[in-house]
């Protein structure tokens, strides 16, 4: 469900800011394509386990936050630096839990998702740094861009993935063409 909500936010963002930096728009479009692949991976794995989307209650938090983003920089702060960053923790934690339980197929799905999430955070950070005031740190610039009830705490979930964050802060390891 969170992948589908993220897709909707990304599509709405592209429609909302047609005159934004073309490189940023390509990055959002690439992320949207990755999120589509993640949704397919999750749906396929769920089907293999006998579960369908909608079998359990679904939330709309990502859509409620993302639908009101007022600028590309707000998108970067909310989606890349907060929600995608939280996915570094979720993917790492659940991958390790599933692997410990012997569900290698599900762990491999999360390995694939994690690699993309690292790249999403990396690109979002790159664009955020490009657009923020030079005298402000990323923290100083991004925190006020988060709409309530979102706070920076949302970017750290379950168990901190230092490795994922270090990779997201390093130069690009891959940037697929669009």
């Amino acid at each position: 469900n969170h992948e589908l909500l993220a897709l909707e936010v990304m599509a709405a963002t592209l429609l909302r800011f047609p005159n934004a930096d073309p490189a940023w728009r390509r990055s959002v479009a690439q992320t949207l394509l990755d999120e589509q692949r993640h949704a397919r991976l999750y749906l396929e794995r769920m089907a293999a386990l006998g579960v369908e989307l909608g079998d359990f209650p679904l939330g709309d938090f990502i859509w409620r936050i993302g639908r009101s983003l007022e600028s590309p920089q707000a998108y970067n702060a909310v989606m890349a630096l907060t929600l995608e960053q939280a996915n570094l923790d979720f993917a790492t934690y659940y991958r390790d839990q599933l692997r410990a339980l012997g569900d290698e197929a599900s762990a491999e799905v999360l390995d694939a998702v994690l690699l993309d999430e690292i790249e999403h955070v990396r690109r979002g950070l790159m664009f955020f740094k490009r657009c923020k005031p030079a005298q402000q740190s990323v923290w100083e610039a991004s925190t006020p861009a988060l709409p309530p009830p979102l706070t920076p705490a949302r970017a750290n979930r379950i168990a901190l993935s230092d490795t994922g964050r270090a990779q997201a802060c390093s130069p690009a390891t891959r940037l697929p063409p669009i």
Side-chain angles (χ1 to χ4, degrees), residues 23-38:
W24 175 80
R25 287 177 50 81
R26 283 191 302 275
S27 176
V28 173
Q30 181 61 56
T31 302
L32 189 151
L33 292 173
D34 291 343
E35 301 295 347
Q36 285 178 324
R37 190 168 33 76
H38 299 171

Side-chain angles (χ1 to χ4, degrees), residues 9-10 12-28 66 68-82 120 123-132 141-142 145-147:
V9 168
M10 291 167 196
T13 297
L14 290 171
L15 291 172
R16 193 174 219 180
F17 305 110
N19 299 319
D21 175 355
W24 175 80
R25 287 177 50 81
R26 283 191 302 275
S27 176
V28 173
S68 62
L69 299 176
E70 296 180 4
S71 69
Q73 195 67 331
Y75 169 91
N76 294 332
V78 169
M79 294 301 290
L81 301 184
T82 306
H120 301 166
R123 287 195 316 250
L125 179 60
M126 177 188 72
F127 283 109
F128 192 86
K129 285 179 174 179
R130 226 185 252 180
C131 297
K132 73 171 185 59
S142 65
L146 300 177

Side-chain angles (χ1 to χ4, degrees), residues 11 23 39-40 55-56 67 73 83 87 91 100 121 131 135 141 147 168-169:
R40 278 193 302 274
D55 282 354
F56 299 95
R67 70 180 177 202
Q73 195 67 331
L83 300 177
N87 284 341
V121 174
C131 297
Q135 71 278 12
C169 290

Side-chain angles (χ1 to χ4, degrees), residues 96-158:
D96 294 347
Q97 294 298 310
L98 290 163
R99 194 162 272 142
L101 292 169
D103 186 352
E104 188 60 31
S106 294
E108 288 175 6
V109 166
L110 288 167
D111 275 334
V113 168
L114 178 60
L115 287 175
D116 288 340
E117 300 297 7
I118 290 168
E119 186 63 19
H120 301 166
V121 174
R122 190 200 67 73
R123 287 195 316 250
L125 179 60
M126 177 188 72
F127 283 109
F128 192 86
K129 285 179 174 179
R130 226 185 252 180
C131 297
K132 73 171 185 59
Q135 71 278 12
Q136 284 187 319
S137 69
V138 170
W139 179 266
E140 292 167 332
S142 65
T143 302
L146 300 177
L150 202 57
T151 70
R154 186 75 181 202
N156 178 6
R157 309 309 289 176
I158 297 182

